[in-house]
Structures are given as structure tokens and as C-alpha cells.
Amino acid sequence: MALVKKPVTGMKDILPAEMQLRDYCIEVIKKTYGEFGFTSIETPAVESLANLNSKQGGENEKLIFKVMKRGEKLNLAEAKEENDLTDSGLRYDLTVPLVRFYANHAGELPSPFKALQMGNVWRADRPQKGRYRQFMQCDIDILGEASNLAEIELILATTTTLGRLGFKDFKIRINDRRILKAMAAYSSFPEEEYDNVFITLDKMDKIGIEGIAEELVKAGFAQESVDKYLDLFKAAEGKDSLEGLKVIADKIGDFLDADTKEGLSEIISSVESTKTAQFEMVFDPTLVRGMSYYTGTIFEVAMPQYGGSCGGGGRYDKMVGKFLGQDTPACGFSIGFERIIMIMMDEGFKIPGADQKKAFLIEKGIAGDRLSEIIKEAQDERAKGSQVLVVRMNKNKKFQKQQLTEQGYEDFKEFYLNPLS
């Protein structure tokens, strides 16, 4: 059987130009997050299926790449169902592994613990442009901090990083799951139907407020509840973040804890007054975030000029407790690393301050002693900080130099068997 040269469906090879950009971005990300006190950790690519299927991963739990049992544990003859064949799977995100990691090492870690985790994840999703089955995620999380200092630090660290990567004029959309529930309760939706209401609300950008109204009525909700609910969004429309939040909080009254409203106001004000990147904090009562584990504040990086969002996160105070038996406050923010790389590639981003790249082209047949002199010269240049490529000269030298130019080489030096040629 012939070998297959293309990657497995949904995976991709990364060429040198993109790899250089990825390495640069990783360096900026790690340096910036380090300045905010985040420390790098690493978790295994493979996790227990019990953890991956713990109802904490939302729709991702349907997309697990499962791993078959190994050795004596794999008994094909006696297997009756899937669980007899598999016991683990490739991680579909970095949050579930982080929580397991924290539960396993809590006694060895500081409190609060500020974690940075970058690594590949795998989802058996339908591949399409910009969506792969293997992709890099970049998460920062703070565990053990109950106050909104966690949200403020996460947002400032993430936006500072995006600013250093050249992004500006984006928005941080922010909301709170408790506000979403309070608005639904005020509108007299049944509590057991909240998630269905939120799933519909999440389509606001696509179908608009009239489309939301139509879908909710078709789903069987009372017209009075639908009208009351959507009037809240209309009341906040066109107002700045703090005023919009106040309008909704005043309307729903006792359905919302005053501390929730004040906490969100404090996050918005604190970030706006201390930010270093060019972006805007926007209270958005339509922001839902799909993961069921969120318990409080939720946020998202919106970049409409690039056609969508580039990251998000929120507070998940109940997740660690499923491992430890006692709840631990937790909050995280994930940058859409692959989306950012794609945008930077499309924009033709040039890595700033890169070492000068030189190429020494050596004609075939040059004697050993002369070759040593050339390599010594290259070594001297490298010691001064230049990046020097030493290669044999091709017959089609023009095409060779063209390819090297595309790779960022700016200076060429040619060495011939006959120096006068």
C-alpha cells in the first residue's frame, strides 16, 4: 500500500514562515503573562474519559478522540460496548485538565494560583477553513481568588498581550451569568428553561431582536414573557456600558443581587482606567458563552474588523469542587491562538526586531580548507547576533535567492571555486 503524504483529515502541516510567527507570538505571550505573575504548567494530552465526560465540556464532549485500552486491558473478544474498549481520550480543551491538575497538586501550589497553559487540543469536529481537529489553545486561569481582582487581572493581562501583538480597536464584551438568570426570572421564564432561552439569545448577532422574539414564541414561551424580556435589551440599547448596566439592574430590581451589579461595574471601571492597549470595555447583556460551567462573570474578545471573536472566558467557581469535594473560586481567559495567527498571516505581519538574516551561498567543489574559512566567517557573524544560513549554491541561483528572500533573508554573500568568476 502506498504511503500517504498529506496530513490526516483535519490536521495540518506548519511551514517555516508560520512557525516563526507562532514562535514569536508564544514568546510575547509567555513574557507578558509572566509579568502579571502567571506561571507555566503542562498537562498530558490524554485524559481519563471519566473526566472528559463529566458534563463540564458542553458540546465538546461529543467530539472526543477516544483512545483504546492497551495490552491486557484490551479484550476485543469479550467487549460488549464502547466502554469495554476505551478508557481515555485526547483533551478537547485545557480547562478540564487544569482543574484535575489543581485538584491533584493543590497542596503544593500557592493560593491564589495563576496558571498559564499552552498546548494542542483535539476535537473530532467537521474540518473547514480556519477550523482544524488539532489546534493550539492558550489559557490563563486564577484559582483561589474569589474577588473580582481575578477578572481585572485576567482582562488586563490578555488585552496587554493582544496590544503587544499589534491588535487595537477591539472590544471586551462582558456580562454575568447571574444577570442573565435574573433577567430571565424577571421575565417569568420557567427556571428549567433558562438554558434554552439563553441558547436562543446567543443568536442575537445573527437574527436580531425580532428573530429572537419569533424563536422564543415558537418554542412555546408566553408572549408576555418574551415582550418583557426583550424590552430589557431595548432599554439598554445605545447606552454606554455603565449606564446600560444600571438601566437593566434598576428594571429587574430585587431579582438581581446588588453585589453582582456593583462587581461588574467595578471590573469595567478598573480596567478602563488602567488599560495599556487600545480597546473598549462593553457591557453586553446578550453575551451568553456556551459552556455550562460558568457561574458568574463572562467575557469575550470581539474583533468585528476581522469578522468575529478571538477569545473568551469567565468564572467557574463550581468546577474544582467536583474533584476536591469543596468549591474553589476559579476564573480563566483563553486567547484564540489559531485565529490570531491566521489574522496576522493574512495581514502580512512582520516580526519586529528580528535578527538580520544572511545567506552564504557556496559553489560546489570548494576545497575543505576554504570551506572551513567560510564557516568560520559565518560563526563570527552568528556571534554578533546575525542569523546566517550556509548552503551550497544551486544551478538556478536566481530562483534559490528568490526563495530565500521570501523566507526573510536580506543579505547574500557568494563564494566561488574561482574567486574571479
Side-chain angles (χ1 to χ4, degrees), residues 174-176 178-184 186-187 201 228-257 260-261 264-265 283-287:
I174 189 167
N175 198 9
D176 195 298
R178 292 166 294 185
I179 292 176
L180 285 169
K181 291 179 180 179
M183 292 171 70
Y186 163 83
S187 305
L201 177 64
K228 195 174 182 181
Y229 187 54
L230 296 182
D231 281 345
L232 292 171
F233 299 100
K234 292 175 182 176
E237 191 174 3
K239 295 179 170 56
D240 66 37
S241 292
L242 295 178
E243 181 61 25
L245 175 57
K246 182 179 184 302
V247 166
I248 288 179
D250 288 347
K251 278 185 169 293
I252 61 182
D254 292 340
F255 285 95
L256 180 66
D257 188 330
T260 300
K261 182 254 182 184
L264 200 57
S265 297
F283 167 62
D284 187 347
T286 71
L287 180 64

Side-chain angles (χ1 to χ4, degrees), residues 162 167-171 301-310 339-340 343:
L162 290 173
F167 290 92
K168 59 183 179 180
D169 300 328
F170 54 91
K171 293 179 171 60
V301 183
M303 293 186 176
Q305 66 270 43
Y306 299 117
S309 64
C310 289
R339 174 84 172 136
I340 285 170
I343 291 171

Side-chain angles (χ1 to χ4, degrees), residues 306-375:
Y306 299 117
S309 64
C310 289
R315 181 168 284 277
Y316 52 100
D317 288 344
K318 301 293 183 181
M319 198 168 172
V320 177
K322 293 185 177 181
F323 285 90
L324 283 178
Q326 62 182 42
D327 289 337
T328 298
C331 196
F333 207 143
S334 178
I335 290 180
F337 185 82
E338 300 291 353
R339 174 84 172 136
I340 285 170
I341 293 296
M342 186 172 69
I343 291 171
M344 295 173 79
M345 293 284 288
D346 290 345
E347 295 282 303
F349 180 85
K350 300 295 183 185
I351 297 175
D355 293 335
Q356 185 179 9
K357 299 176 74 171
K358 302 180 179 181
F360 286 9
L361 307 182
I362 306 173
E363 188 179 27
K364 292 179 182 178
I366 284 182
D369 55 347
R370 177 60 177 143
L371 182 62
S372 294
E373 292 175 4
I374 296 169
I375 294 175

Side-chain angles (χ1 to χ4, degrees), residues 70-83:
R70 280 86 39 215
E72 295 179 357
K73 291 185 177 181
L74 179 60
N75 191 331
L76 295 173
E78 296 182 8
K80 296 180 180 179
E81 55 186 35
E82 186 178 273
N83 288 343

Side-chain angles (χ1 to χ4, degrees), residues 181 184-185 188-198 221:
K181 291 179 180 179
S188 301
F189 288 116
E191 187 173 353
E192 65 272 14
E193 294 291 339
Y194 286 178
D195 283 345
N196 290 328
V197 172
F198 301 155
F221 296 110

Side-chain angles (χ1 to χ4, degrees), residues 16 51 60 160 163-164 166 218 291 313 341 359 362 374:
N51 293 346
N60 294 330
T160 300
R164 290 182 180 179
K218 281 184 178 179
M291 306 304 286
I341 293 296
I362 306 173
I374 296 169

